[in-house]
């Protein structure tokens, strides 16, 4: 249920629309938990049914009306309880199709494996550039979200970015070493 908690956490900063939540996701936590706009709206609906958020409609003259979501006290309590409970959250579920194919790599031609490793490296390096851009611009992003987000939040947001960057750098190094072994 981490998507719902990510949404609740973002709503602790200020009321937001589903679209604004998606923009914040993409600029802050998408490297640890991704979500499509439809998933966010579906989760907002479920959270509203639970009483964790409530929505208000903001009329607009030149555009469609906006539905703005605000966290309720019950939602804040649920978020705080989830946040305090770290038991069992230190490992992620493992479902890595690329690694599964590498496991059975002996059934493929060496050239094909090298090509796949190179694709893996390109993808990881592209994602690495993206994360480094987020890291560089966190301060600016924080101000885009709202002036209500304290500057102290940046250090915690950067902790997650730093881990993502280190994981990607390690993955690239691993793939490069695999290619070297396959070539020798």
């Amino acid at each position: 249920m981490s998507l719902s908690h990510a949404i609740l956490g973002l709503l602790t900063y200020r009321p937001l629309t589903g679209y604004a939540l998606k923009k914040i996701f993409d600029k802050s936590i998408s490297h640890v938990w991704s979500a499509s706009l439809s998933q966010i709206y579906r989760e907002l609906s479920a959270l509203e049914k639970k009483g964790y958020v409530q929505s208000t409609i903001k009329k607009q003259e030149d555009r469609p009306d906006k539905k703005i979501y605000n966290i309720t006290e019950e939602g804040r309590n649920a978020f705080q309880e989830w946040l305090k409970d770290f038991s069992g959250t230190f490992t992620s579920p493992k479902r890595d199709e690329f690694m599964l194919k590498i496991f059975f790599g002996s059934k493929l031609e060496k050239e094909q494996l090298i090509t796949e490793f190179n694709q893996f490296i390109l993808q990881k390096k592209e994602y690495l550039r993206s994360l480094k851009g987020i890291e560089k611009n966190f301060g600016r992003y924080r101000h885009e979200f709202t002036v209500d987000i304290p500057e102290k939040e940046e250090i915690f947001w950067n902790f997650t970015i730093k881990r993502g960057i280190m994981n990607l750098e390690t993955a690239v190094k691993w793939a490069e070493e695999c290619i070297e072994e396959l070539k020798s």
Side-chain angles (χ1 to χ4, degrees), residues 85-99:
D85 181 15
F86 274 88
S87 63
T89 59
F90 299 114
T91 59
S92 322
K94 298 288 182 221
R95 290 194 179 114
D96 188 333
E97 187 174 352
F98 177 76
M99 289 303 296

Side-chain angles (χ1 to χ4, degrees), residues 170-183:
T170 301
V172 167
K173 183 179 180 201
W174 164 80
E176 289 169 343
E177 288 179 9
C178 291
I179 290 171
E180 288 306 311
E181 282 188 49
L182 284 169
K183 287 181 176 179

Side-chain angles (χ1 to χ4, degrees), residues 62-74:
D62 55 340
R63 296 181 187 171
D65 295 343
K66 281 186 181 180
K67 194 170 194 180
I68 301 170
Y69 294 88
N70 195 1
I71 190 169
T72 64
E73 194 59 38
E74 189 177 354

